[in-house]
């Protein structure tokens, strides 16, 4: 059986660009471990406003930037930046936009309040990554999404981009973390999601209030495998994933995780191959 050789990581946090957390450490260490096992990788994260561009030597990739994404009838320019983690021989691509990421922190502001447009930021991030991968003309076998900010990528890959050469054969894995958000998304979120290829029935499960549980269930619906990344995650979502019949990788200790994840990629690839 052919192994899944190309892995795309769509990640919410990577250290050293943001402070250390369970997610940012996985974002930093897992791609390196998978690359060292002989697979080809690409890694993306949002260009949060608290990332020091000069210190981390980010620079804009002009040939990839310049596209506009329309969200809620408004044009939002897509800016792509890149930096290298030299010790890992690993490049990181950053999705940037003046409205959604520049001069703003991660998911909460200076007072710890969640940004009201986190729903639109998640839409922009998911679509921005997929449009950039298309421009790179790179065809990942496995797409591994980390964090709720990436939860829309499985839907877009399976519906909007399903005929694109870059994504046609890709298998999607979603990692569940302990992180969540408290403020439900706007009531018109479902309408903002709609693009050519997405029917209302595809997102019928997104009932109000559109909260963390509903968003992660949507990610599970369109993923080919689910990973319990944190020791303690939302039980309702985890049980939903287990009952789906899709491959689920239960929680692994940090020292075993990369090896287990590497094997899980092939399991999902082979399970889903027709």
């Amino acid at each position: 059986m052919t192994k899944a050789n190309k892995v795309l990581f769509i990640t919410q946090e990577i250290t050293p660009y943001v402070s250390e957390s369970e997610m940012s450490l996985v974002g930093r260490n897992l791609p390196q471990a998978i690359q060292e096992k002989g697979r080809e990788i690409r890694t993306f994260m949002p260009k949060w406003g608290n990332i020091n561009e000069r210190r981390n030597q980010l620079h804009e990739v002009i040939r990839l930037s310049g596209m506009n994404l329309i969200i809620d009838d408004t044009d939002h320019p897509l800016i792509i930046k890149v930096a290298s983690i030299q010790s890992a021989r690993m490049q990181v691509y950053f999705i940037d936009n003046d409205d959604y990421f520049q001069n703003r922190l991660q998911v909460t502001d200076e007072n710890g309040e969640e940004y009201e447009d986190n729903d639109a930021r998640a839409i922009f991030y998911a679509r921005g990554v997929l449009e950039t991968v298309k421009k790179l003309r790179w065809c990942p076998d496995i797409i591994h999404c980390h964090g709720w900010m990436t939860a829309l990528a499985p839907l877009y890959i399976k519906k909007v981009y399903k005929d694109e050469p870059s994504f046609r054969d890709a298998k999607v894995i979603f990692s569940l973390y302990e992180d969540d958000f408290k403020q439900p998304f706007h009531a018109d979120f479902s309408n903002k999601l709609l693009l050519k290829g997405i029917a209302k029935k595809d997102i019928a499960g997104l009932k109000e209030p559109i909260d963390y549980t509903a968003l992660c269930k949507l990610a599970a619906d369109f993923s080919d495998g689910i990973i319990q990344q944190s020791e303690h995650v939302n039980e309702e979502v985890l049980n939903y994933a287990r009952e789906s019949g899709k491959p689920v990788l239960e929680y692994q200790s940090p020292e075993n995780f990369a090896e287990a994840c590497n094997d899980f990629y092939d399991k999902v690839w082979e399970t889903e191959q027709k």
Side-chain angles (χ1 to χ4, degrees), residues 3-247:
K3 282 195 171 184
N5 289 318
K6 297 180 180 178
V7 183
L8 169 63
F9 293 95
I10 308 177
T11 305
Q12 195 168 311
E13 301 176 8
I14 299 173
T15 188
Y17 305 110
V18 297
S19 58
E20 285 193 6
S21 66
E22 180 184 36
M23 191 185 299
S24 71
L25 287 166
V26 172
R28 163 64 181 83
N29 296 323
L30 181 62
Q32 179 181 354
I34 296 302
Q35 181 171 257
E36 287 171 355
K37 290 182 182 298
R39 303 189 200 247
E40 188 181 328
I41 65 158
R42 297 283 188 281
T43 304
F44 282 79
M45 72 174 286
K47 212 300 287 174
W48 305 115
N50 55 333
I51 294 173
N52 186 314
E53 294 193 37
R54 180 173 294 178
R55 187 171 67 230
N56 290 297
Q57 299 184 327
L58 272 68
H59 60 271
E60 185 174 350
V61 187
I62 302 296
R63 68 185 178 87
L64 296 175
S65 299
M67 181 186 303
N68 280 4
L69 300 181
I70 299 171
I71 298 173
D72 210 16
D73 298 325
T74 305
D75 274 1
H76 298 277
L78 174 60
I79 302 163
I80 312 300
K81 294 173 179 171
V82 72
S84 294
I85 299 176
Q86 298 291 354
S87 59
R89 292 180 297 134
M90 189 171 98
Q91 272 195 329
V92 178
Y93 290 91
F94 296 84
I95 299 296
D96 202 0
N97 171 266
D98 290 348
D99 299 321
Y100 291 137
F101 298 116
Q102 280 286 357
N103 305 315
R104 297 170 71 184
L105 303 181
Q106 289 167 245
V107 298
T108 58
D109 64 17
E110 294 86 348
N111 302 313
E113 298 289 326
E114 292 175 357
Y115 290 109
E116 279 206 9
D117 61 350
N118 274 343
D119 56 347
R121 297 170 91 203
I123 292 171
F124 184 88
Y125 178 51
R127 289 176 54 191
V129 171
L130 301 180
E131 288 294 341
T132 305
V133 173
K134 259 176 62 180
K135 277 194 170 183
L136 288 170
R137 297 188 177 178
W138 193 65
C139 303
D141 301 311
I142 295 288
I143 300 172
H144 191 170
C145 303
H146 295 262
W148 64 258
M149 186 64 73
T150 74
L152 299 173
L155 168 70
Y156 287 133
I157 292 161
K158 296 294 185 178
K159 290 294 176 181
V160 180
Y161 294 85
K162 70 182 190 305
D163 296 324
E164 288 289 339
S166 287
F167 305 108
R168 197 165 43 212
D169 301 318
K171 305 295 173 260
V172 185
I173 293 171
F174 183 68
S175 271
L176 278 173
Y177 285 82
E178 193 170 0
D179 79 310
D180 62 3
F181 56 88
K182 306 294 184 271
Q183 195 66 36
F185 286 172
H186 292 288
D188 64 346
F189 176 65
S190 296
N191 290 328
K192 288 182 192 171
L193 273 184
L194 292 174
L195 286 175
K196 186 179 178 185
I198 300 176
K200 291 207 169 174
K201 66 178 175 58
D202 295 325
I203 53 174
L206 275 181
K207 302 273 195 295
E208 289 185 46
I210 300 168
D211 57 11
Y212 173 82
T213 302
L215 187 69
C216 289
K217 283 183 175 180
L218 181 75
D221 285 341
F222 292 95
S223 294
D224 300 295
I226 298 96
I227 293 176
Q228 180 189 347
Q229 195 79 53
S230 300
E231 189 170 2
H232 304 287
V233 299
N234 183 300
E235 283 294 328
E236 186 177 341
V237 178
L238 184 57
N239 288 331
Y240 184 81
R242 287 170 176 153
E243 290 163 8
S244 71
K246 297 173 181 178

